[in-house]
Amino acid sequence: MQNFSGVGVSPGRIIGQIRQMPKPLIEPADGELRADSTTLDQAASALRLAAAAVEADLTTRALAAHGEAREVLEATAQMAVDPMLHDAAVDVLSQGRSAERAIWEAGASVAQMLVNLGGYLAERATDVLDVRARIVAELRGVAAPGVPESATPFILVADDLAPADTATLDPAKVLALLTAGGGPQSHTAIIARALGLPAVVAAAGVDELPGGTLIYLDGASGAITVDLGPDEIAAADAWARANATLAVFDGDGRTADGHRIPLLANVGGSADALAAAGAGAQGVGLLRTEFCFLGRDTEPTVAEQIAAYRGVLDAFPGKKVVVRTLDAGADKPLPFVTDATEPNPALGVRGYRIVGTSRGVLERQLSAIAAAAADSTADVWVMAPMISTAEEAGQFAALAAAAGLKTPGVMVEVPSAALTAEAILSHVEFVSLGTNDLTQYAMAADRQLGPLSGLNTPWQPAVLQLVRLTVAGAQAEGRGKSVGKPVGVCGEAAADPALAVVLVGLGVASLSMTARALAAVAAVLSSVTLAEARALAQLALAAPSADDARAAVRARLPLLDELGL
């Protein structure tokens, strides 16, 4: 029996035939020259037109997508017409190369530069190469690389998937995703979770499997099996039955002994919000306001922002909606806010830090949020991303108050915020743990890199200790008061049912996740008492490694295997 092992990033046990992503376009010949009859200006114009066509195609796809998928496509569309890429191509054109060869070499150069910069920008190298291929295809007049067509559902296999591919997958045709590369926070992983598709990444060698091969994929454990046996068939059948029971969340997150844990949704626009409300979400724990800003060359007006935010607030009348202010920078560059020359954007001007470099952007956004809230019955909370100090928390609280917003909070995404939670909470009303970035910064491991997936997991004891310290800081700040200030989680960790139990055991007050995870998390939470959750949290904290912590907790939660989670 042939086995492969990867990183499970979205649960589900699936048997299906694979379809391999088509191989990349053939590289233009090294040194390929442009025709004698074509001038430099004509070749540059052809490049601009091809890039504009690619941008238009990706933008059209973005309009049909929602949430994170839309954000991914809009960002990729902008890359197609990025001046740095175009200027690099023109430099190669000036050496007499053909337009195809020029964009090929320019794309390779820009991608390598991003890899060398590391952090978030290293992950964007994949986007550049995808855009390069699409421009070459446009110049050749052939179809761009994409998801293969099939008359029957299949498991999609690739070395890695480009944003434009993952963002437009049809869940009616694609049973699961499997990549040889990528990491737990790659585009493949994020979109798979949003679509509810079982997925495994960083499974070396699977891109060499012949198309049509029948395989078994376990999106929780990361196991892939060829030459199936009765155990795999039984597991897939059990998952199909169990998954049907997880289709509905009753809108009441609680433990077995009645301790209530609001289960909220992470959303990226009004379409997401309506879907989350339909899935039973008890509110919004993270509204990513970037959906208003991405894909634009200029800042949206206050009126445009008000209309966009109202669409989300109207989906949750009378319920809590936590609005995160603009998290620009790093993997979400904006031409009117971010500096493309930063040597390490992950540690640069991002999130709240733009207040010092792009004056007025945050103030106008807060004004728009307040105006949208004034005409809504939703209970609007607002929080700032990338807060590092209590001083920054105080500054943000003052800005929110000036805009008329009464419930300011901050994200805990860097270790310094976790370590000083008590001081930070003396200025704001709540904090929300962004476990994706908190893990990345705590472990000094780029969250997009497959080889670092072992480090980049919120099961790391060090990360769990930072969660514990954040809750302890909140409890210390609230000591002697009638009501303590809440600590929530809005990172991907909240969507892991086993880890959700640990987070509740550590004292987290609410969990926010992709709407598709609500029913699974609710089912597992309702199977344990609060005392049992606390015992499991202590078990995880005491474990010597992330793998040991995860295994120890899962061994005490048999429902996970029963449900295939």
Side-chain angles (χ1 to χ4, degrees):
M1 185 176 291
Q2 188 178 9
N3 297 321
F4 297 86
S5 181
V7 179
V9 294
S10 185
R13 293 167 177 168
I14 297 291
I15 291 175
Q17 288 188 333
I18 69 168
R19 295 286 183 273
Q20 292 277 1
M21 281 286 288
K23 296 301 181 184
L25 289 174
I26 297 174
E27 176 180 350
D30 187 13
E32 181 178 278
L33 301 177
R34 68 174 181 269
D36 291 339
S37 59
T38 303
T39 67
L40 174 60
D41 286 345
Q42 289 171 330
S45 177
L47 263 180
R48 279 193 297 270
L49 289 173
V54 170
E55 180 200 23
D57 175 63
L58 292 172
T59 300
T60 299
R61 293 193 192 196
L63 292 174
H66 303 293
E68 291 184 352
R70 183 169 186 168
E71 293 175 13
V72 166
L73 284 170
E74 288 174 335
T76 308
Q78 287 296 306
M79 190 162 285
V81 291
D82 185 271
M84 179 171 59
L85 180 62
H86 180 75
D87 291 348
V90 171
D91 286 344
V92 180
L93 277 176
S94 67
Q95 301 168 25
R97 300 290 189 269
S98 69
E100 291 176 26
R101 186 65 201 178
I103 193 63
W104 193 271
E105 291 186 15
S109 175
V110 172
Q112 187 59 54
M113 180 193 70
L114 295 177
V115 168
N116 293 340
L117 288 172
Y120 286 108
L121 285 187
E123 189 274 333
R124 300 297 292 178
T126 302
D127 304 10
V128 173
L129 298 179
D130 175 49
V131 163
R132 175 184 73 173
R134 293 175 184 279
I135 294 175
V136 169
E138 182 69 26
L139 288 167
R140 291 178 179 174
V142 301
V147 178
E149 292 293 328
S150 175
T152 57
F154 60 94
I155 296 173
L156 180 61
V157 182
D159 172 60
D160 200 1
L161 293 173
D165 297 320
T166 56
T168 55
L169 292 173
D170 180 2
K173 283 291 184 70
V174 180
L175 298 171
L177 302 178
L178 175 58
T179 63
Q185 297 303 327
S186 64
H187 290 306
T188 301
I190 292 171
I191 299 301
R193 286 189 286 262
L195 294 176
L197 289 174
V200 175
V201 300
V206 295
D207 54 329
E208 300 300 325
L209 287 170
T213 301
L214 190 69
I215 69 169
Y216 165 82
L217 176 148
D218 187 333
S221 70
I224 302 99
T225 303
V226 184
D227 301 326
L228 314 182
D231 289 345
E232 287 75 28
I233 294 172
D237 288 343
W239 159 257
R241 291 191 301 271
N243 194 39
T245 70
L246 294 177
V248 179
F249 168 48
D250 66 6
D252 185 14
R254 61 198 180 282
T255 59
D257 54 342
H259 177 70
R260 296 194 181 280
I261 301 293
L263 299 184
L264 315 173
N266 297 339
V267 304
S270 58
D272 275 2
L274 289 169
Q282 294 174 259
V284 172
L286 171 63
L287 168 56
R288 301 181 181 94
T289 58
E290 294 76 45
F291 78 97
C292 281
F293 292 79
L294 292 174
R296 301 178 59 112
D297 293 324
T298 58
E299 178 188 347
T301 66
V302 170
E304 288 173 324
Q305 292 186 57
I306 292 171
Y309 304 149
R310 275 296 306 274
V312 175
L313 302 185
D314 288 348
F316 287 93
K319 295 183 179 180
K320 180 169 77 172
V321 176
V322 182
V323 183
R324 182 181 68 187
T325 56
L326 181 61
D327 190 16
D331 63 335
K332 295 184 281 288
L334 292 175
F336 51 91
V337 172
T338 52
D339 179 2
T341 66
E342 284 185 346
N344 193 343
L347 301 179
V349 179
R350 59 169 298 205
Y352 173 74
R353 297 170 182 179
I354 67 169
V355 73
T357 59
S358 300
R359 303 216 176 259
V361 172
L362 178 57
E363 290 86 344
R364 286 187 288 274
Q365 183 179 29
L366 290 171
S367 174
I369 295 169
D375 291 331
S376 168
T377 62
D379 180 15
V380 178
W381 298 18
V382 62
M383 65 181 177
M386 285 298 290
I387 291 293
S388 299
T389 68
E391 181 182 16
E392 289 177 340
Q395 292 168 352
F396 176 73
L399 289 173
L405 293 161
K406 299 177 180 179
T407 314
V410 303
M411 295 281 289
V412 174
E413 298 170 284
V414 296
S416 65
L419 295 170
T420 59
E422 181 179 357
I424 283 175
L425 278 161
S426 69
H427 295 285
V428 296
E429 299 305 312
F430 71 99
V431 297
S432 185
L433 288 147
T435 52
N436 302 358
D437 272 324
L438 184 62
T439 302
Q440 172 176 245
Y441 291 128
M443 304 307 297
D446 188 338
R447 69 188 195 183
Q448 303 287 351
L449 297 182
L452 300 182
S453 60
L455 286 174
N456 209 332
T457 166
W459 282 100
Q460 285 288 352
V463 177
L464 296 179
Q465 288 288 357
L466 289 172
V467 175
R468 181 188 66 81
L469 288 170
T470 303
V471 173
Q475 292 171 343
E477 200 283 331
R479 195 168 293 129
K481 299 176 182 177
S482 59
V483 179
K485 293 180 180 178
V487 175
V489 172
C490 63
E492 290 292 333
D496 178 340
L499 192 47
V501 171
V502 171
L503 294 170
V504 170
L506 289 171
V508 166
S510 64
L511 300 168
S512 189
M513 64 203 74
T514 176
R516 290 183 178 270
L518 290 166
V521 170
V524 177
L525 274 179
S526 67
S527 73
V528 298
T529 65
L530 181 58
E532 289 169 337
R534 287 170 174 164
L536 289 174
Q538 292 307 310
L539 193 64
L541 286 172
S545 72
D547 287 344
D548 289 331
R550 185 174 184 271
V553 171
R554 289 184 65 88
R556 304 285 185 91
L557 294 170
L559 182 63
L560 293 170
D561 279 337
E562 293 175 24
L563 297 178
L565 298 171

